[in-house]
Amino acid sequence: QVQLVESGGGLVQAGGSLRLSCAASGLTFSRSVMGWFRQAPGKERAFVATIRSDGMTYYGDSVKGRFTISRDNAKNTVYLQMNSLKPDDTAVYYCAARGLSSSIYLYRTWEYNYWGQGTQVTVSS
């Protein structure tokens, strides 16, 4: 049974930083593509970033240059370092996983098989 457990969310002031973690189990993590999505109230779930098994990354335009996705295969964990946070970054952040892919442009929710429960990030102005 695949489990993805996010942590690290919280309340932060605009301009601040947070690091989210997602601990995975029940899958071959080193061979999985891992992604982060977010969902603000009243909006659809939106792509944030993804990292392939070989370390290649891809980011949504709204977070490029501010957020960094990384992974530690030894710990079965993917991270999202979020800097220069803005109130518009307020959302529930979800970790997602899928199997190997030759493409890095995996920005659609349906391209992922497994999802975590989410962690709330709130950025105050």
Side-chain angles (χ1 to χ4, degrees):
Q1 181 181 356
V2 175
Q3 281 195 315
L4 303 176
V5 180
E6 302 97 335
S7 61
L11 174 64
V12 63
Q13 287 189 331
S17 299
L18 280 176
R19 189 175 83 151
L20 305 183
S21 301
C22 171
S25 60
L27 51 71
T28 306
F29 183 82
S30 61
R31 294 170 62 84
S32 298
V33 177
M34 303 299 297
W36 286 98
F37 288 74
R38 65 187 182 185
Q39 189 165 18
K43 295 188 176 181
E44 292 188 351
R45 196 166 294 191
F47 172 72
V48 175
T50 189
I51 185 166
R52 215 165 57 180
S53 56
D54 61 0
M56 186 169 289
T57 59
Y58 178 58
Y59 295 91
D61 288 341
S62 62
V63 306
K64 208 173 294 183
R66 300 188 298 123
F67 291 10
T68 302
I69 188 171
S70 61
R71 64 191 297 158
D72 185 336
N73 289 340
K75 295 183 178 179
N76 283 9
T77 300
V78 62
Y79 304 98
L80 185 68
Q81 178 67 43
M82 305 186 295
N83 299 329
S84 302
L85 282 161
K86 307 173 182 179
D88 283 350
D89 294 318
T90 295
V92 176
Y93 282 71
Y94 295 92
C95 176
R98 59 157 290 147
L100 287 173
S101 174
S102 59
S103 173
I104 188 58
Y105 302 111
L106 301 169
Y107 56 89
R108 305 171 190 88
T109 57
W110 56 262
E111 292 176 305
Y112 293 82
N113 304 112
Y114 306 106
W115 293 85
Q117 294 298 308
T119 186
Q120 176 71 46
V121 171
T122 302
V123 184
S124 63
S125 56

Coordinates of all heavy atoms in Angstrom, one line a residue, residues 5-72:
V5 N 3.2 11.0 2.9 CA 2.8 11.8 4.1 C 3.6 13.1 4.0 O 4.8 13.1 4.2 CB 3.1 11.0 5.4 CG1 2.8 11.9 6.6 CG2 2.4 9.7 5.4
E6 N 2.8 14.2 3.9 CA 3.4 15.5 3.8 C 3.6 16.1 5.2 O 2.8 15.8 6.1 CB 2.6 16.5 3.0 CG 2.3 16.1 1.6 CD 1.0 15.4 1.4 OE1 0.5 14.8 2.4 OE2 0.4 15.4 0.3
S7 N 4.6 17.0 5.4 CA 4.8 17.7 6.6 C 5.5 19.0 6.3 O 6.1 19.2 5.2 CB 5.6 16.9 7.6 OG 6.9 16.5 7.1
G8 N 5.5 19.9 7.3 CA 6.3 21.1 7.1 C 5.5 22.4 6.8 O 6.0 23.5 6.8
G9 N 4.2 22.2 6.7 CA 3.4 23.4 6.4 C 3.2 24.2 7.6 O 3.6 23.8 8.7
G10 N 2.6 25.4 7.4 CA 2.4 26.3 8.6 C 2.1 27.7 8.1 O 1.8 27.9 7.0
L11 N 2.2 28.6 9.1 CA 1.9 30.0 8.8 C 3.2 30.8 8.8 O 4.1 30.6 9.6 CB 1.0 30.6 10.0 CG 0.8 32.1 10.0 CD1 0.0 32.5 8.7 CD2 0.0 32.5 11.2
V12 N 3.4 31.6 7.7 CA 4.6 32.3 7.5 C 4.3 33.7 7.0 O 3.3 33.8 6.3 CB 5.6 31.6 6.6 CG1 5.0 31.4 5.2 CG2 7.0 32.2 6.6
Q13 N 5.1 34.7 7.3 CA 4.9 36.0 6.7 C 5.4 36.1 5.3 O 6.3 35.3 4.9 CB 5.6 37.0 7.6 CG 4.9 37.3 8.9 CD 5.5 38.5 9.6 OE1 6.7 38.8 9.4 NE2 4.7 39.2 10.4
A14 N 4.8 37.0 4.5 CA 5.3 37.2 3.1 C 6.8 37.5 3.1 O 7.3 38.2 4.0 CB 4.5 38.3 2.5
G15 N 7.5 36.9 2.2 CA 8.9 37.0 2.1 C 9.7 35.9 2.8 O 10.9 35.8 2.7
G16 N 8.9 35.1 3.6 CA 9.6 34.1 4.4 C 9.7 32.8 3.6 O 9.5 32.7 2.4
S17 N 10.2 31.8 4.3 CA 10.5 30.5 3.7 C 9.9 29.3 4.5 O 9.7 29.5 5.7 CB 12.0 30.3 3.6 OG 12.6 31.3 2.8
L18 N 9.6 28.3 3.8 CA 9.2 27.0 4.4 C 9.8 25.9 3.6 O 10.0 26.0 2.4 CB 7.7 26.9 4.4 CG 6.8 27.6 5.5 CD1 5.4 27.3 5.2 CD2 7.2 27.1 6.9
R19 N 10.0 24.7 4.3 CA 10.4 23.5 3.6 C 9.4 22.4 3.8 O 9.2 22.0 5.0 CB 11.8 23.1 3.9 CG 12.3 21.9 3.0 CD 13.7 21.5 3.3 NE 13.8 20.6 4.4 CZ 14.8 19.7 4.5 NH1 15.7 19.6 3.5 NH2 14.9 18.9 5.5
L20 N 8.8 22.0 2.8 CA 7.9 20.8 2.9 C 8.6 19.5 2.7 O 9.5 19.5 1.9 CB 6.7 21.0 1.9 CG 5.9 22.3 1.9 CD1 4.8 22.2 0.9 CD2 5.4 22.6 3.3
S21 N 8.1 18.5 3.3 CA 8.7 17.1 3.1 C 7.5 16.2 2.8 O 6.4 16.4 3.2 CB 9.4 16.7 4.4 OG 10.5 17.5 4.8
C22 N 7.9 15.2 2.1 CA 6.9 14.1 1.7 C 7.6 12.8 1.9 O 8.5 12.5 1.1 CB 6.3 14.3 0.3 SG 5.3 12.9 -0.2
A23 N 7.2 12.0 2.9 CA 7.8 10.7 3.1 C 7.0 9.7 2.4 O 5.7 9.6 2.6 CB 7.9 10.4 4.6
A24 N 7.6 8.9 1.6 CA 6.9 7.9 0.8 C 7.2 6.5 1.3 O 8.3 6.2 1.7 CB 7.3 8.0 -0.7
S25 N 6.2 5.6 1.1 CA 6.4 4.2 1.5 C 5.5 3.4 0.6 O 4.5 3.8 0.0 CB 6.1 3.9 2.9 OG 4.7 4.2 3.2
G26 N 5.9 2.1 0.4 CA 5.1 1.2 -0.4 C 5.3 1.3 -1.9 O 4.5 0.7 -2.7
L27 N 6.3 2.0 -2.3 CA 6.6 2.1 -3.7 C 8.2 2.1 -3.9 O 8.9 2.3 -2.9 CB 6.0 3.3 -4.4 CG 6.2 4.7 -3.7 CD1 7.7 5.2 -3.8 CD2 5.3 5.7 -4.3
T28 N 8.6 1.9 -5.1 CA 10.1 1.9 -5.4 C 10.4 3.4 -5.6 O 10.4 3.9 -6.7 CB 10.4 1.0 -6.6 OG1 9.9 -0.3 -6.4 CG2 11.9 1.0 -6.8
F29 N 10.7 4.0 -4.5 CA 10.9 5.5 -4.5 C 11.9 5.9 -5.6 O 11.7 6.9 -6.3 CB 11.3 6.0 -3.2 CG 11.4 7.5 -3.1 CD1 10.2 8.3 -2.9 CD2 12.6 8.1 -3.2 CE1 10.3 9.6 -2.8 CE2 12.7 9.5 -3.1 CZ 11.5 10.3 -2.9
S30 N 13.0 5.2 -5.6 CA 14.1 5.7 -6.5 C 13.7 5.7 -8.0 O 14.4 6.3 -8.8 CB 15.4 4.8 -6.3 OG 15.1 3.5 -6.6
R31 N 12.7 4.9 -8.3 CA 12.2 4.8 -9.7 C 11.0 5.6 -9.9 O 10.3 5.5 -11.0 CB 12.1 3.3 -10.1 CG 13.4 2.6 -10.1 CD 13.1 1.1 -10.2 NE 12.4 0.7 -11.4 CZ 13.0 0.5 -12.6 NH1 14.3 0.7 -12.7 NH2 12.3 0.2 -13.7
S32 N 10.5 6.4 -9.0 CA 9.3 7.1 -9.1 C 9.5 8.6 -9.4 O 10.5 9.2 -8.9 CB 8.5 7.0 -7.7 OG 8.2 5.7 -7.4
V33 N 8.6 9.1 -10.2 CA 8.6 10.6 -10.4 C 7.7 11.1 -9.3 O 6.6 10.7 -9.0 CB 7.9 10.9 -11.7 CG1 7.8 12.4 -11.9 CG2 8.7 10.3 -12.9
M34 N 8.2 12.2 -8.6 CA 7.6 12.8 -7.5 C 7.2 14.2 -7.9 O 8.0 15.0 -8.5 CB 8.4 12.8 -6.3 CG 8.9 11.4 -5.8 SD 7.6 10.3 -5.4 CE 6.9 11.2 -4.0
G35 N 6.0 14.6 -7.4 CA 5.5 16.0 -7.8 C 4.9 16.7 -6.6 O 4.5 16.0 -5.6
W36 N 4.8 18.0 -6.7 CA 4.1 18.8 -5.7 C 3.0 19.6 -6.5 O 3.3 20.2 -7.5 CB 5.0 19.8 -5.0 CG 5.9 19.2 -4.0 CD1 7.2 18.8 -4.1 CD2 5.5 18.8 -2.6 NE1 7.7 18.3 -3.0 CE2 6.7 18.3 -2.0 CE3 4.4 19.0 -1.9 CZ2 6.7 17.9 -0.7 CZ3 4.4 18.6 -0.5 CH2 5.5 18.0 0.0
F37 N 1.8 19.6 -5.9 CA 0.7 20.4 -6.4 C 0.1 21.2 -5.3 O 0.5 20.9 -4.1 CB -0.4 19.5 -7.0 CG -0.1 18.8 -8.3 CD1 0.9 17.7 -8.3 CD2 -0.6 19.2 -9.5 CE1 1.2 17.1 -9.5 CE2 -0.3 18.6 -10.7 CZ 0.6 17.6 -10.7
R38 N -0.7 22.2 -5.6 CA -1.3 22.9 -4.5 C -2.7 23.3 -4.9 O -3.1 23.4 -6.1 CB -0.5 24.2 -4.2 CG -0.5 25.2 -5.3 CD 0.5 26.3 -4.9 NE 0.6 27.4 -6.0 CZ 1.4 28.4 -5.9 NH1 2.3 28.5 -4.9 NH2 1.4 29.3 -6.9
Q39 N -3.6 23.5 -3.9 CA -5.0 23.9 -4.2 C -5.4 24.9 -3.2 O -5.4 24.7 -2.0 CB -5.9 22.6 -4.0 CG -7.3 22.9 -4.5 CD -8.0 21.6 -4.7 OE1 -7.7 20.5 -4.2 NE2 -9.1 21.6 -5.4
A40 N -5.7 26.1 -3.7 CA -6.2 27.2 -2.9 C -7.7 27.1 -2.9 O -8.4 26.5 -3.7 CB -5.8 28.5 -3.6
P41 N -8.4 27.7 -1.9 CA -9.8 27.6 -1.7 C -10.5 28.1 -3.0 O -10.2 29.2 -3.5 CB -10.1 28.6 -0.5 CG -8.8 28.6 0.3 CD -7.7 28.4 -0.7
G42 N -11.5 27.3 -3.4 CA -12.3 27.7 -4.6 C -11.6 27.5 -5.9 O -12.1 27.9 -7.0
K43 N -10.3 27.0 -5.9 CA -9.6 26.8 -7.2 C -9.2 25.3 -7.4 O -9.3 24.5 -6.5 CB -8.3 27.6 -7.1 CG -8.5 29.1 -7.0 CD -7.3 29.9 -7.2 CE -7.5 31.4 -7.2 NZ -6.2 32.2 -7.4
E44 N -8.9 25.0 -8.6 CA -8.5 23.7 -9.0 C -7.1 23.4 -8.5 O -6.3 24.3 -8.3 CB -8.6 23.5 -10.5 CG -10.0 23.5 -11.1 CD -10.0 23.2 -12.5 OE1 -8.9 23.0 -13.1 OE2 -11.1 23.0 -13.1
R45 N -6.8 22.1 -8.3 CA -5.4 21.7 -7.9 C -4.5 22.1 -9.1 O -4.7 21.8 -10.2 CB -5.4 20.3 -7.7 CG -4.2 19.8 -6.9 CD -4.4 18.4 -6.4 NE -5.4 18.3 -5.4 CZ -5.6 17.2 -4.6 NH1 -4.9 16.2 -4.7 NH2 -6.6 17.2 -3.8
A46 N -3.4 22.8 -8.7 CA -2.4 23.3 -9.7 C -1.0 22.7 -9.5 O -0.6 22.5 -8.4 CB -2.4 24.8 -9.6
F47 N -0.4 22.6 -10.6 CA 1.0 22.0 -10.6 C 2.0 23.0 -10.0 O 1.9 24.2 -10.3 CB 1.4 21.7 -12.0 CG 2.8 21.4 -12.2 CD1 3.3 20.1 -11.8 CD2 3.7 22.2 -12.8 CE1 4.6 19.8 -11.9 CE2 5.1 21.9 -13.0 CZ 5.5 20.7 -12.5
V48 N 2.9 22.5 -9.2 CA 4.0 23.3 -8.6 C 5.3 22.9 -9.1 O 6.1 23.7 -9.7 CB 4.0 23.2 -7.1 CG1 5.2 23.9 -6.5 CG2 2.7 23.7 -6.5
A49 N 5.7 21.6 -9.0 CA 7.0 21.2 -9.4 C 7.0 19.6 -9.5 O 6.2 19.0 -8.8 CB 8.1 21.6 -8.4
T50 N 8.0 19.1 -10.2 CA 8.1 17.7 -10.3 C 9.6 17.3 -10.4 O 10.4 18.2 -10.9 CB 7.3 17.1 -11.5 OG1 7.4 15.6 -11.4 CG2 7.9 17.5 -12.8
I51 N 10.0 16.2 -10.0 CA 11.4 15.7 -10.1 C 11.3 14.3 -10.5 O 10.6 13.4 -9.9 CB 12.1 15.9 -8.7 CG1 13.6 15.5 -8.9 CG2 11.5 15.2 -7.6 CD1 14.5 16.0 -7.7
R52 N 12.1 14.0 -11.5 CA 12.2 12.6 -12.1 C 13.2 11.8 -11.3 O 14.0 12.3 -10.5 CB 12.6 12.7 -13.6 CG 12.0 11.7 -14.4 CD 12.1 12.1 -15.9 NE 13.5 12.3 -16.3 CZ 13.8 12.6 -17.6 NH1 12.9 12.8 -18.5 NH2 15.1 12.8 -17.9
S53 N 13.2 10.5 -11.6 CA 14.1 9.6 -10.8 C 15.6 10.0 -11.1 O 16.5 9.8 -10.2 CB 13.9 8.2 -11.2 OG 14.0 8.0 -12.6
D54 N 15.9 10.6 -12.2 CA 17.3 11.0 -12.5 C 17.6 12.4 -12.0 O 18.7 12.9 -12.3 CB 17.6 10.9 -14.0 CG 16.7 11.8 -14.9 OD1 15.9 12.5 -14.3 OD2 16.8 11.8 -16.1
G55 N 16.7 13.0 -11.3 CA 17.0 14.3 -10.7 C 16.5 15.5 -11.6 O 16.6 16.6 -11.1
M56 N 16.1 15.2 -12.8 CA 15.6 16.3 -13.6 C 14.4 16.9 -13.0 O 13.5 16.2 -12.5 CB 15.4 15.8 -15.1 CG 15.0 17.0 -16.0 SD 15.0 16.4 -17.7 CE 16.7 16.2 -18.0
T57 N 14.3 18.3 -13.1 CA 13.1 19.0 -12.5 C 12.4 19.8 -13.5 O 12.9 20.2 -14.5 CB 13.6 19.9 -11.3 OG1 14.6 20.8 -11.9 CG2 14.3 19.0 -10.2
Y58 N 11.2 20.2 -13.1 CA 10.3 21.0 -13.9 C 9.4 21.8 -13.0 O 8.9 21.2 -12.0 CB 9.5 20.2 -14.9 CG 8.5 21.0 -15.8 CD1 9.0 22.0 -16.6 CD2 7.2 20.7 -15.8 CE1 8.1 22.7 -17.4 CE2 6.3 21.3 -16.6 CZ 6.8 22.4 -17.4 OH 5.9 23.0 -18.2
Y59 N 9.2 23.1 -13.2 CA 8.5 24.0 -12.3 C 7.3 24.7 -13.0 O 7.4 25.0 -14.2 CB 9.4 25.0 -11.7 CG 10.5 24.4 -10.8 CD1 11.7 24.1 -11.3 CD2 10.3 24.2 -9.5 CE1 12.7 23.6 -10.5 CE2 11.2 23.7 -8.6 CZ 12.5 23.4 -9.2 OH 13.4 22.9 -8.4
G60 N 6.3 25.0 -12.2 CA 5.3 25.8 -12.7 C 5.8 27.3 -12.8 O 6.7 27.7 -12.0
D61 N 5.2 28.0 -13.7 CA 5.7 29.4 -14.0 C 5.6 30.3 -12.7 O 6.5 31.1 -12.5 CB 5.0 30.0 -15.1 CG 5.3 29.5 -16.5 OD1 6.4 28.8 -16.6 OD2 4.5 29.6 -17.4
S62 N 4.6 30.1 -11.9 CA 4.4 31.0 -10.8 C 5.4 30.7 -9.6 O 5.5 31.6 -8.8 CB 3.0 30.8 -10.2 OG 2.8 29.4 -9.8
V63 N 6.1 29.6 -9.7 CA 7.1 29.4 -8.6 C 8.5 29.3 -9.0 O 9.4 29.2 -8.2 CB 6.7 28.1 -7.8 CG1 5.3 28.1 -7.4 CG2 7.0 26.8 -8.7
K64 N 8.7 29.4 -10.3 CA 10.0 29.3 -10.9 C 11.0 30.3 -10.3 O 10.6 31.5 -10.3 CB 10.0 29.4 -12.4 CG 11.1 28.7 -13.2 CD 10.8 28.7 -14.7 CE 9.6 27.9 -15.0 NZ 9.3 27.9 -16.5
G65 N 12.1 29.9 -9.8 CA 13.1 30.9 -9.3 C 12.9 31.1 -7.8 O 13.7 31.7 -7.1
R66 N 11.8 30.6 -7.2 CA 11.5 30.8 -5.8 C 11.5 29.5 -5.0 O 11.8 29.4 -3.9 CB 10.2 31.5 -5.6 CG 10.1 32.9 -6.1 CD 8.8 33.6 -5.7 NE 7.6 33.0 -6.2 CZ 6.7 32.6 -5.4 NH1 6.7 32.7 -4.1 NH2 5.6 32.0 -5.9
F67 N 11.0 28.4 -5.7 CA 10.8 27.1 -5.1 C 11.8 26.2 -5.7 O 12.2 26.3 -6.9 CB 9.4 26.5 -5.4 CG 8.3 27.2 -4.7 CD1 8.5 28.4 -4.0 CD2 7.0 26.7 -4.7 CE1 7.4 29.1 -3.3 CE2 6.0 27.3 -4.0 CZ 6.2 28.5 -3.4
T68 N 12.3 25.2 -4.9 CA 13.2 24.2 -5.3 C 12.7 22.8 -4.9 O 12.5 22.6 -3.7 CB 14.6 24.4 -4.8 OG1 15.1 25.7 -5.2 CG2 15.6 23.4 -5.3
I69 N 12.6 21.9 -5.8 CA 12.2 20.5 -5.5 C 13.5 19.7 -5.4 O 14.4 19.9 -6.3 CB 11.2 20.0 -6.5 CG1 10.6 18.6 -6.0 CG2 11.7 19.9 -7.9 CD1 9.5 18.1 -6.8
S70 N 13.5 18.8 -4.5 CA 14.7 17.9 -4.4 C 14.2 16.5 -3.8 O 13.1 16.4 -3.3 CB 15.8 18.5 -3.5 OG 15.4 18.7 -2.2
R71 N 15.1 15.6 -3.9 CA 14.7 14.2 -3.4 C 15.9 13.6 -2.7 O 17.1 13.8 -3.1 CB 14.2 13.4 -4.5 CG 15.2 13.0 -5.6 CD 14.5 12.4 -6.8 NE 13.9 11.1 -6.4 CZ 12.9 10.5 -7.1 NH1 12.3 11.2 -8.1 NH2 12.4 9.4 -6.7
D72 N 15.7 12.7 -1.7 CA 16.7 11.9 -1.0 C 16.2 10.5 -1.2 O 15.3 10.1 -0.4 CB 16.8 12.4 0.4 CG 18.0 11.7 1.1 OD1 18.3 10.5 0.7 OD2 18.5 12.2 2.1

